[in-house]
Amino acid sequence: MRTLTCLVLLLLAGSGAFAQKEKASGVNSLQYSEFIPVEPIEFYDNVEVADNEGNVDLKYIKSMDKRELLEYLTNETVLVSVAEVDPTGKMSFIPGRVSDKGMQYIVTMDYLKFATLEVKKEGDVAGEAAAGVGFRVILNISSRAKDINLSDIFSIGMAATDKKVYGSVRVEAIGLHDPEITSVIPLPSEISGASIQSVMQAITIIKYKIYDEKTRLNPQIVGVRGTKEGVTLQELREAVMKYHKLGKKNVATNKSAPRKK
């Protein structure tokens, strides 16, 4: 468990390497090198699954067993997004990872085991979505100082101890069903050295539980990124929701989907 803890700490501490290319909001064009977080959306679809002999077949995502799901979710990473919140409450994702004095930020740190999906707008590929499982740490930060590293959870904790920032932190498990996970998730709390330590303990257990045979996996769409010039975050969100609704509608006619009796 100690080795796993160290790995999680290194991932979250070093996750600033996943940089966004430009400032964007729901109005501005969106072209990012990394995914922008969205509220988890249920994933319905047929996906390609290979058996032990290398044969590939389409299978409904919710009828896949644990081995098949883990093999399908081939990507594993930590993604960090920093959003600046203006006095009117408008949120814009920014490329910078250090604070300015007197500003408010929402920092989202996702550990994901995921697969990448195409997102289409009017028939053309406009972006990609990440569908998977994992955990999300959300920090709502008000800064009293500049040059605080917002991509490093430890720097934020130290800044809170030094009264340079204040705010709240919470942890969310994504697409994981296990009573033990529910029991270890801390309640939302003020950012402090102690609360950051509590968060780290919880996510270490959550990461371990992904591979526990008793934990059920239910992949969620948790992030989007634009690949087509001029596409906006709002357009990608709308395309993902359309995809979600279509997938849910098709469950009734899906040959491999479980039928209600």
Side-chain angles (χ1 to χ4, degrees):
M1 182 66 75
R2 180 174 296 177
T3 301
L4 180 59
T5 303
C6 292
L7 176 60
V8 173
L9 300 185
L10 287 171
L11 283 170
L12 289 178
S15 53
F18 299 97
Q20 295 148 348
K21 290 184 177 178
E22 58 184 272
K23 186 172 181 177
S25 69
V27 177
N28 300 327
S29 63
L30 177 67
Q31 282 187 294
Y32 274 174
S33 61
E34 295 302 330
F35 291 101
I36 298 303
V38 297
E39 287 297 314
I41 302 167
E42 196 80 7
F43 177 41
Y44 300 91
D45 207 349
N46 287 330
V47 299
E48 292 185 344
V49 179
D51 61 23
N52 293 331
E53 297 178 355
N55 300 312
V56 178
D57 196 8
L58 286 177
K59 194 166 186 179
Y60 180 56
I61 187 76
K62 294 186 180 299
S63 65
M64 294 165 65
D65 61 30
K66 184 71 172 281
R67 178 192 65 81
E68 291 170 332
L69 282 169
L70 288 174
E71 289 181 357
Y72 173 66
L73 304 174
T74 55
N75 304 310
E76 191 167 350
T77 192
V78 174
L79 303 175
V80 176
S81 295
V82 179
E84 187 178 277
V85 183
D86 70 15
T88 68
K90 181 180 177 181
M91 187 173 72
S92 298
F93 290 94
I94 60 174
R97 298 303 178 89
V98 294
S99 68
D100 284 328
K101 185 176 181 179
M103 297 299 296
Q104 183 178 354
Y105 302 94
I106 295 176
V107 180
T108 305
M109 300 181 179
D110 285 347
Y111 166 80
L112 296 175
K113 188 166 179 58
F114 70 101
T116 303
L117 315 172
E118 288 185 343
V119 177
K120 292 185 177 181
K121 179 177 178 289
E122 298 176 352
D124 296 326
V125 176
E128 296 175 331
V133 299
F135 61 79
R136 173 170 287 175
V137 180
I138 302 172
L139 302 106
N140 195 324
I141 299 169
S142 293
S143 175
R144 294 188 174 115
K146 61 181 300 185
D147 296 333
I148 297 166
N149 184 358
L150 298 176
S151 65
D152 184 346
I153 194 169
F154 300 108
S155 294
I156 295 170
M158 291 175 62
T161 300
D162 294 337
K163 308 297 183 183
K164 293 180 179 179
V165 301
Y166 63 95
S168 62
V169 58
R170 72 178 190 269
V171 179
E172 299 176 353
I174 299 173
L176 304 173
H177 299 273
D178 188 308
E180 291 185 26
I181 292 177
T182 303
S183 67
V184 301
I185 293 179
L187 294 173
S189 59
E190 291 185 3
I191 298 173
S192 66
S195 66
I196 294 298
Q197 180 64 29
S198 178
V199 165
M200 296 310 302
Q201 291 172 350
I203 63 180
T204 299
I205 294 172
I206 294 170
K207 187 175 188 296
Y208 170 77
K209 294 294 288 184
I210 290 175
Y211 300 92
D212 190 314
E213 62 181 17
K214 294 183 293 184
T215 303
R216 291 188 293 115
L217 307 183
N218 184 20
Q220 309 282 304
I221 296 174
V222 292
V224 294
R225 63 182 173 193
T227 57
K228 182 179 180 180
E229 185 175 356
V231 68
T232 68
L233 179 56
Q234 183 60 31
E235 288 172 334
L236 286 178
R237 284 174 173 160
E238 290 173 355
V240 167
M241 286 306 300
K242 184 177 180 180
Y243 175 85
H244 159 74
K245 291 176 181 177
L246 179 62
K248 191 173 183 180
K249 182 179 179 181
N250 288 342
V251 169
T253 58
N254 193 311
K255 292 182 179 180
S256 62
R259 297 285 196 274
K260 290 185 178 180
K261 296 182 179 180

